[in-house]
Amino acid sequence: MKFSYLMGFRNPRELSKLADAEFYAGMFEQIEYLDQTGFETIWTTEHHFVDDGYLSSVMPMMAAIAARTKRVKVGSFVLLAPFYHPLRLAEDAALIDVISNGRLRLGIGVGYRHEEFEIFQIPRKERLGRTLETIEIMKRAWTGERFDFEGKHFNFRNARVLPKPVSAKGPELLWGGMNPNSIKRCARLDLGFACNLGAAEIKQFHEALRELGKDPAAYNVVNMATVYVADSEDQAWNEIAPGMLYQMKLYQKWLAEGGIEASNFRPDPETLRKSAILGPPDRVIEHLRHFIEKHPATELTLNMQQPGLDPKLAMRSLKRFVTEVLPVLNKG
């Protein structure tokens, strides 16, 4: 099992007293530390027009992370493709892949928030079509050769994207989706799976691959879990509870507005505490082993930096994970 780290760069004023510059400096301390450890990827995530400063400028941020690191991979979990012109996205991604020497990974999603589509003036009903065309255009663009494209949403002739990515076929692409149809689409598109739910969705993905005659072992599945290391479970929960409750309340609102089932995103303290892996190292190790056994992913992304949490506290937890948890897990 590979381990990665999620960063949403969210600094809600009702939970944090840090100025944005101080907050970002603390986040980059974690980024530089992660580059020195055995973590696989630093993942960013994207939303727009959110009061807490939720990261919207994903491509510039991934470029900044790539420039400040040497080993760890950099990725989006996930990037909202309908809000980008595919050629510009292909250009930016190719450049980040070059300056990172092939360390870029792109998780792609279609988006769901009505507010984002309304403000960007993109019809929400076009989100899937635009995303599928974007994926096809990026793949062609990353060959470095001139090409034409004629689709429903994008049409152009004689386009060429340089520099060509370092990665042989361009940055790794993963599909982010929650419902069964979206998961089946991921298998048909021959992409890795960026999963933010759990065992049932991973099973659906593997079954969809087998139905297409594909070997699930050949595909990356990136799952996510809230993990936080502290002296006790109570201390861990007290430190991350405000951010978790805040986040779930907001997600539940967004999903409901988008007509999406939101039962997995309830701001219920007891449920959230049970779903998180919290406490001293021995307890975290025990619960992580059980989680990993139950969720057959290739990579687990730690959601440790909760919205509004002082980055110094997240860094303390991260260092304890690296020094007291990770070595035990790596031994098997």
Side-chain angles (χ1 to χ4, degrees):
M1 173 65 68
K2 299 174 181 177
F3 291 92
S4 296
Y5 198 83
L6 181 71
M7 291 188 142
F9 296 89
R10 305 174 67 180
N11 190 31
R13 296 303 179 210
E14 59 265 47
L15 298 180
S16 171
K17 297 180 180 179
L18 296 179
D20 287 338
E22 185 180 3
F23 173 73
Y24 271 74
M27 298 292 273
F28 269 92
E29 286 182 14
Q30 292 180 63
I31 288 165
E32 292 176 351
Y33 178 73
L34 286 161
D35 192 43
Q36 303 167 23
T37 68
F39 275 71
E40 176 74 3
T41 302
I42 298 172
W43 294 103
T44 62
T45 183
E46 175 181 6
H47 273 300
H48 298 266
F49 320 121
V50 185
D51 291 342
D52 62 23
Y54 201 126
L55 183 64
S56 57
S57 302
V58 170
M59 301 306 286
M61 177 53 71
M62 289 195 296
I65 295 173
R68 294 275 287 266
T69 57
K70 298 181 182 299
R71 183 203 59 80
V72 69
K73 296 176 183 177
V74 183
S76 57
F77 198 113
V78 295
L79 177 146
L80 304 180
F83 306 137
Y84 295 82
H85 190 285
L87 282 176
R88 185 57 189 270
L89 181 59
E91 289 176 332
D92 289 347
L95 179 61
I96 296 171
D97 195 67
V98 169
I99 67 174
S100 68
N101 196 28
R103 291 184 284 130
L104 181 63
R105 309 171 76 187
L106 289 180
I108 303 292
V110 300
Y112 60 89
R113 291 186 61 218
H114 283 282
E115 181 183 29
E116 292 173 328
F117 286 93
E118 289 171 358
I119 294 178
F120 278 128
Q121 300 181 47
I122 300 293
R124 192 172 181 270
K125 64 181 180 181
E126 295 180 1
R127 58 184 180 151
L128 177 59
R130 285 176 172 269
T131 300
L132 295 178
E133 288 188 18
T134 293
I135 290 172
E136 179 61 28
I137 290 167
M138 288 195 297
K139 287 180 176 180
R140 295 193 197 181
W142 291 335
T143 66
E145 303 296 329
R146 293 195 178 275
F147 71 104
D148 302 336
F149 186 85
E150 184 174 346
K152 182 177 179 180
H153 305 285
F154 303 101
N155 292 274
F156 49 81
R157 294 181 58 81
N158 205 33
R160 189 181 190 188
V161 168
L162 292 173
K164 182 180 176 181
V166 170
S167 303
K169 296 182 180 180
E172 177 188 1
L173 294 174
L174 303 98
W175 182 263
M178 295 187 287
N179 66 65
N181 288 335
S182 183
I183 293 170
K184 290 179 181 178
R185 184 176 296 110
C186 178
R188 291 196 301 271
L189 290 170
D190 212 37
L191 304 180
F193 181 30
C195 176
N196 64 352
L197 290 178
E201 288 70 30
I202 295 173
K203 181 180 178 180
Q204 290 171 18
F205 178 58
H206 286 166
E207 288 175 348
L209 288 170
R210 292 189 187 100
E211 289 175 1
L212 295 169
K214 301 177 181 181
D215 180 7
Y219 294 82
N220 283 327
V221 176
V222 184
N223 200 11
M224 187 188 305
T226 297
V227 178
Y228 196 85
V229 187
D231 288 339
S232 68
E233 182 184 352
D234 285 342
Q235 179 192 1
W237 173 245
N238 288 338
E239 289 180 1
I240 70 167
M244 284 193 74
L245 290 166
Y246 164 88
Q247 179 169 258
M248 288 301 106
K249 183 177 180 180
L250 195 58
Y251 279 149
Q252 186 181 54
K253 176 178 178 290
W254 288 350
L255 290 165
E257 290 173 349
I260 301 170
E261 170 59 40
S263 60
N264 289 304
F265 296 87
R266 290 185 293 114
D268 174 66
E270 183 178 353
T271 301
L272 288 175
R273 181 165 179 164
K274 288 181 179 179
S275 71
I277 299 172
L278 312 172
D282 56 348
R283 185 179 190 277
V284 170
I285 291 167
E286 177 187 356
H287 284 254
L288 266 177
R289 281 175 169 163
H290 176 73
F291 185 92
I292 291 168
E293 181 180 357
K294 183 179 178 182
H295 300 77
T298 58
E299 184 178 332
L300 181 62
T301 297
L302 308 186
N303 186 11
M304 194 173 287
Q305 176 67 60
Q306 296 294 322
L309 180 68
D310 189 327
K312 292 180 181 178
L313 296 180
M315 177 67 112
R316 186 194 65 201
S317 170
L318 174 58
K319 286 184 174 180
R320 294 196 67 177
F321 183 89
V322 168
T323 58
E324 301 177 60
V325 176
L326 194 56
V328 179
L329 292 174
N330 285 340
K331 289 180 181 179

